[in-house]
Every structure is written in C-alpha cells, then in structure tokens.
Amino acid sequence: MNGRDVFYLLKQSSQPKATIVFIHGFPFSSEMWRNQLEILPEEIEGFAFDIRGFGRSKTNHPFFSIDLFARDLFDFLDAVKVDKALLCGLSMGGYITLRAAQINKERIAGIILCDTNSVADSDESKLKRFSSIDLVAGGNKRDFALGFLKNIFCESTFENNPDAIQLIENIILNTSESTICAAQLALASRTDTSSVLQSLNIPALIIRGEQDKIMTPEQAKQLHSSLKESELLIVPHAGHMSNLENPSVFNTALLDFLSKHFQ
Ligand code: MLT
C-alpha cells in the first residue's frame, strides 16, 4: 500500500452484505481480534489490519499521528477495494475511527467503539506518556510492558485467562521501541473528536469493560448520549481489553448488532 507492506487478517464471505474492519489499540496488533473475525457470520466480510509500525506492518514515515493512522485506514480500504465499512476500534482504534469519521463519514456504515473516548489527553496524561517514552527509550521495554498489562487487564483475568495476558505481553514485547515511543507522542497529540459525534446518523455500539482503568464510565456515557443511534454495553469481568477478557459477552453483543443492522 503506497509502497509499504500492510499485514492483515481476513475473514472472507462469498456474498458479503457488509464489511467490518477491526482496528487494534496501543501497542497491540491485529492478533487481538482473531476470535472476533472467527465468529463473524458467513455474509459478513471482516478485516483486521496492523497499523503502520505495529505487528507485521512496516512504516516509512518519520512520525506518527492519529490523523495519519486514520488516513492510512482509508488507503487500506482502497487497497482491499472496500467502499464503505463498519469500523470497530478499541481504545487507540476508537480514536482512529472517530478521526476517520471527521475526514470522511460517507465511507463509514456504522461504528463500534470499545474502551475508548473522544477527548484529547489532559496535561497529566501527556506527562505520564512522556515518562513511559523515557522508560522505553532507556531500554526498559519489559518494565513498561509489565506495568501496562497491570493497568489494562482486570484482576480476575490474571487468574482466569492467562492466555489473553500472554498474547498481549508477547505482542508488546515484539513491538519496536521506536513504534512505542512514536505512538505515545501520537496519542498525546491527538485532537478532540467529540464534535463529529452528533453528526453521525449511523448505527453505533459503545462497549466498556466494567473495570476499565483507562476509560471512565462518564466517557462511555458521553459517547452514548452524543451518538443518536447508539447502544451502550458494559462488559462484566473485564478491564480495558473487553473483547479478550469477556469474549462471550462481547461476541454476543457484536453478533446482535450485526444481525440488527447489517444482515
Ligand atoms: C490503547 O489501548 O490503545 C491505549 O491505552 C490508549 C491510550 O493510552 O490512550
């Protein structure tokens, strides 16, 4: 794509009625969506791609921004010949979804926003990101990863679903230091996308893990009240990684949403 390799997972459909594109959070990869791709109904086509610099996708750009990632998303849709798609983004994936909606909402058939928000970072959050950059740039990626895992998973996941933790730990440790640092700056400098919410007349599902320590209940409620056609799901026994921590509740809501609006 534009001279750059983009890795993606595909769930094919012989006669697709709709296409869903899953967008991963920071600092993860398309692998976090494998289970959701597998459970899609026959008539729904699904993609999960690695954002530039993450997973198996390459980058050739001197800096990252959420705006750049959103423009990459449209380049990806062009490359796989999809005119209009339902977007499902978790956390950073949600920031990218909302920035994409500001750029061109005509190409978005619906949105699923998981454990995310539409506001920019506070100064306190920016300063925390700068400390994380120092940690990783100083050669302590493992310490960063272990601290991050404690923040994103709820306690019961450590006991009941060690495979999910291991998956994400491996992904973080395999992400390059330069990608982690550049993406932290992209997160710190993202714009507030709240203004787009009220202009979206498309089906929307807001999902939040009940014990998410990164996104507040108020932020999920704000997305829900600003998006006219939205539903809000609170996922029990889940922190920030709701699709991995409680896949049965997450997948049931995903399938209900698809059958109601896209099948
Ligand atoms: C993510 O999961 O994408 C990050 O936690 C987002 C963030 O730190 O703002």
Side-chain angles (χ1 to χ4, degrees), residues 10-246:
L10 166 65
K11 184 268 171 190
Q12 282 175 316
S13 162
S14 51
Q15 286 192 314
K17 285 196 181 151
T19 299
I20 181 166
V21 177
F22 293 97
I23 310 165
H24 64 79
F26 162 87
F28 316 130
S29 77
S30 55
E31 291 295 331
M32 67 166 282
W33 294 116
R34 200 174 267 282
N35 175 248
Q36 281 67 45
L37 282 173
E38 282 166 3
I39 57 102
L40 289 178
E42 202 298 310
E43 61 269 43
I44 305 287
E45 175 184 52
F47 292 92
F49 70 101
D50 288 344
I51 294 166
R52 64 166 69 219
F54 293 88
R56 282 168 265 187
S57 285
K58 303 279 177 268
T59 186
N60 54 5
H61 205 271
F63 77 100
F64 290 164
S65 68
I66 296 302
D67 175 66
L68 174 71
F69 293 158
R71 286 182 280 122
D72 283 347
L73 167 68
F74 288 117
D75 287 346
F76 178 74
L77 292 182
D78 291 342
V80 293
K81 300 191 173 25
V82 170
D83 187 40
K84 200 164 182 167
L86 162 64
L87 303 180
C88 175
L90 185 135
S91 199
M92 178 177 77
Y95 308 155
I96 296 168
T97 298
L98 291 175
R99 177 63 195 134
Q102 286 184 318
I103 298 173
N104 188 355
K105 58 177 185 258
E106 301 309 318
R107 296 189 72 179
I108 305 178
I111 49 178
I112 305 180
L113 297 171
C114 318
D115 302 284
T116 192
N117 66 45
S118 61
V119 293
D121 265 9
S122 63
D123 282 354
E124 192 191 343
S125 306
K126 286 182 192 174
L127 291 169
K128 273 195 202 146
R129 296 199 197 276
F130 300 154
S131 309
S132 296
I133 292 173
D134 278 347
L135 187 67
V136 174
N140 299 302
K141 186 164 71 174
R142 182 169 288 278
D143 291 344
F144 164 77
L146 295 181
F148 202 78
L149 292 173
K150 285 210 184 100
N151 219 10
I152 58 175
F153 287 107
C154 73
E155 259 174 50
S156 57
T157 302
F158 283 90
E159 283 158 34
N160 305 332
N161 193 352
D163 289 353
I165 317 264
Q166 195 59 59
L167 171 76
I168 294 298
E169 182 175 340
N170 291 344
I171 294 175
I172 300 178
L173 293 177
N174 283 318
T175 305
S176 73
E177 277 81 355
S178 63
T179 284
I180 294 177
C181 295
Q184 291 268 28
L185 281 181
L187 293 167
S189 62
R190 75 185 188 277
T191 53
D192 185 313
T193 51
S194 308
S195 66
V196 80
L197 298 169
Q198 289 188 343
S199 72
L200 295 177
N201 294 313
I202 49 176
L205 174 62
I206 318 301
I207 299 179
R208 177 178 179 271
E210 195 171 25
Q211 297 171 54
D212 188 345
K213 290 183 218 141
I214 300 181
M215 305 298 168
T216 65
E218 290 69 32
Q219 288 169 339
K221 280 186 207 141
Q222 188 238 336
L223 292 175
H224 178 44
S225 62
S226 308
L227 281 159
K228 290 184 206 83
E229 296 180 43
S230 67
E231 292 162 54
L232 172 64
L233 170 77
I234 304 299
V235 182
H237 312 297
H240 188 59
M241 306 299 289
S242 49
N243 70 314
L244 290 171
E245 298 187 79
N246 195 338

